[in-house]
Amino acid sequence: MPISTSYRTILYHILAWAAFITYEVLLVELISPTTTAWWEWTCWYTLNICLFYFFAHVVLQYTVKHKQLLLLPLLVPAIVAGYITIQVGLESVINLFRDEPESFSINRVFLLRATWRCIYFLGFSTAYWFTRQTIKNTKHINKIELQRLQAEREKAELTKGLARSQNALHQAQVSPHLLFNTLNFIYNSVQDVSPKASKGVLLLSEVMHYALQRVQEDGKTDLKNEVEHIERYIALNQLRFSYPLQLQMKCCGQLQGRIPPLLLLTFVENIFKHGDLTDPSQAAQILVSSIQNQLYFSTNNKKRKHHAARGHGIGIQNAKTRLTQYYTENDYTLAIQEDDQHHRLSLKINLT
């Protein structure tokens, strides 16, 4: 289990203090051998450690954060005086628990030693605070730099995407014009030769015209136009087969309102891709109803026993994505039920 950042930091501090205290204690013992007990060292270093963190996390943090650096010349002497006072009291208490009490007096040597010890740890505390702030500022700068690089990369990707979109727009402006002129030429050429072929060309032209037409600012089209497009799509597919397609479409209501274009067609295409439209006893059903600003759309079809699985579900997934882009979760419900033989879909949209 990995150690969290806070626990790792605490561990580093403990190890640093352990090394520092070991160094000082060994140095003192070597220079002037004493019989200082371990609990005495604990008391003194507890005071020094508290001074260290108090000055760094309270005094320096407050004065810098509130821009009160002029208070430091006043606070430092007060801290030194408080440190000396605590040392006097601590020495008196420790002396009570020693096996052999030592003589103790507040003289010049004691005051100089205590003052030097206080300034010594204040210096370490200041260095620690500056180091900590430097690391913190460096991380902040690196974070800002990373955000800037990410923003530049996103901007570059958007620029490339805009260029591709502009190219696609120019192509879309040229290709439909050529396509419809060609379809019109084919329609006029085969009208007298094959009425069925000419009807197919006409339906294809209308289907393509609807698919390529520009949408309005809200990105939607009239529900009535979508339904008419589905009817043309079904009629066009009927021309492809020599047998009648077992597919029934029923429309109810005024068919008012606006929806994203080609949304319902995606579900109808799914019927042609994966449905069995040859069984008269189980004809595919399509229902479109618009009542009181509510759109109800449902499909029910028998599945083909053998069909290519490639691309299955992609159209449905794209339709789900478009629904989430145009509507909130409360504005629509989409339910899909299927088994080995049948596929059922039910969609309800609030058109207001």
Side-chain angles (χ1 to χ4, degrees):
M1 181 177 179
I3 302 176
S4 65
T5 303
S6 59
Y7 287 140
R8 187 182 295 111
T9 302
I10 293 174
L11 179 60
Y12 289 158
H13 280 244
I14 292 174
L15 293 176
W17 279 113
F20 176 78
I21 293 172
T22 302
Y23 161 75
E24 282 207 335
V25 171
L26 291 177
L27 186 64
V28 170
E29 293 290 341
L30 289 174
I31 294 176
S32 56
T34 61
T35 57
T36 305
W38 64 268
W39 58 270
E40 293 186 48
W41 291 115
T42 302
C43 293
W44 294 120
Y45 277 106
T46 299
L47 172 61
N48 295 330
I49 291 173
C50 290
L51 171 66
F52 178 90
Y53 288 112
F54 171 77
F55 189 71
H57 291 282
V58 178
V59 177
L60 290 178
Q61 193 70 20
Y62 175 84
T63 54
V64 173
K65 182 178 180 180
H66 296 278
K67 299 180 180 179
Q68 300 290 333
L69 294 177
L70 295 178
L71 289 177
L72 285 177
L74 300 177
L75 291 175
V76 170
I79 292 174
V80 172
Y83 179 84
I84 295 174
T85 302
I86 295 174
Q87 271 218 353
V88 171
L90 189 59
E91 179 67 31
S92 301
V93 172
I94 291 175
N95 215 20
L96 295 175
F97 294 93
R98 289 184 177 131
D99 295 334
E100 296 181 2
E102 299 178 359
S103 59
F104 166 71
S105 61
I106 305 175
N107 52 29
R108 181 179 178 183
V109 174
F110 173 84
L111 293 176
L112 289 175
R113 185 177 60 188
T115 302
W116 164 248
R117 195 66 172 164
C118 180
I119 295 175
Y120 179 73
F121 279 99
L122 291 182
F124 273 124
S125 180
T126 303
Y128 159 75
W129 184 86
F130 274 109
T131 302
R132 186 170 177 268
Q133 288 299 116
T134 301
I135 296 174
K136 183 178 179 180
N137 292 336
T138 301
K139 290 182 178 180
H140 182 66
I141 293 173
N142 291 338
K143 182 179 179 180
I144 294 177
E145 182 66 17
L146 180 60
Q147 291 176 346
R148 185 186 66 82
L149 293 176
Q150 290 177 344
E152 290 182 354
R153 184 177 64 183
E154 292 174 358
K155 182 179 179 181
E157 291 177 354
L158 289 174
T159 302
K160 292 180 180 179
L162 178 61
R164 289 194 295 266
S165 299
Q166 290 175 340
N167 291 335
L169 177 60
H170 293 318
Q171 292 174 354
Q173 291 173 341
V174 176
S175 299
H177 181 70
L178 177 62
L179 173 64
F180 292 130
N181 284 342
T182 304
L183 290 175
N184 185 58
F185 167 75
I186 297 174
Y187 173 77
N188 292 327
S189 299
V190 302
Q191 186 175 12
D192 297 331
V193 179
S194 175
K196 183 178 180 180
S198 64
K199 182 180 179 181
V201 173
L202 179 61
L203 287 172
L204 177 60
S205 177
E206 292 176 345
V207 168
M208 295 300 297
H209 184 272
Y210 178 82
L212 295 174
Q213 70 177 350
R214 294 184 179 181
V215 297
Q216 301 298 321
E217 292 183 359
D218 61 355
K220 299 179 182 179
T221 187
D222 291 336
L223 175 59
K224 183 178 180 181
N225 294 337
E226 181 79 359
V227 172
E228 292 176 351
H229 180 63
I230 293 175
E231 292 174 343
R232 288 192 293 266
Y233 179 81
I234 294 174
L236 180 61
N237 277 277
Q238 179 62 76
L239 292 176
R240 298 171 51 208
F241 302 96
S242 59
Y243 56 87
L245 297 176
Q246 303 304 318
L247 174 64
Q248 300 175 2
M249 180 174 178
K250 182 179 180 181
C251 300
C252 303
Q254 299 298 320
L255 299 182
Q256 296 178 346
R258 295 174 63 78
I259 63 171
L262 306 177
L263 175 65
L264 303 183
L265 179 67
T266 302
F267 303 125
V268 176
E269 287 178 336
N270 193 65
I271 297 177
F272 282 94
K273 287 181 180 179
H274 310 290
D276 182 359
L277 304 180
T278 62
D279 189 351
S281 63
Q282 299 187 60
Q285 305 287 332
I286 300 175
L287 173 63
V288 183
S289 176
S290 176
I291 302 174
Q292 296 181 350
N293 294 322
Q294 296 286 335
L295 168 63
Y296 300 91
F297 176 83
S298 64
T299 64
N300 184 6
N301 65 275
K302 178 183 177 182
K303 286 184 177 181
R304 267 187 268 170
K305 292 183 179 180
H306 304 287
H307 64 276
R310 183 179 180 182
H312 181 69
I314 296 179
I316 299 294
Q317 186 59 46
N318 290 338
K320 291 180 179 179
T321 301
R322 297 186 68 199
L323 283 170
T324 58
Q325 291 175 344
Y326 284 93
Y327 304 101
T328 64
E329 294 182 356
N330 298 326
D331 289 333
Y332 80 94
T333 56
L334 176 64
I336 299 177
Q337 298 177 344
E338 60 179 327
D339 50 36
D340 294 337
Q341 295 183 349
H342 294 88
H343 182 278
R344 300 177 182 86
L345 180 144
S346 177
L347 174 64
K348 178 182 176 182
I349 300 178
N350 182 8
L351 299 176
T352 55

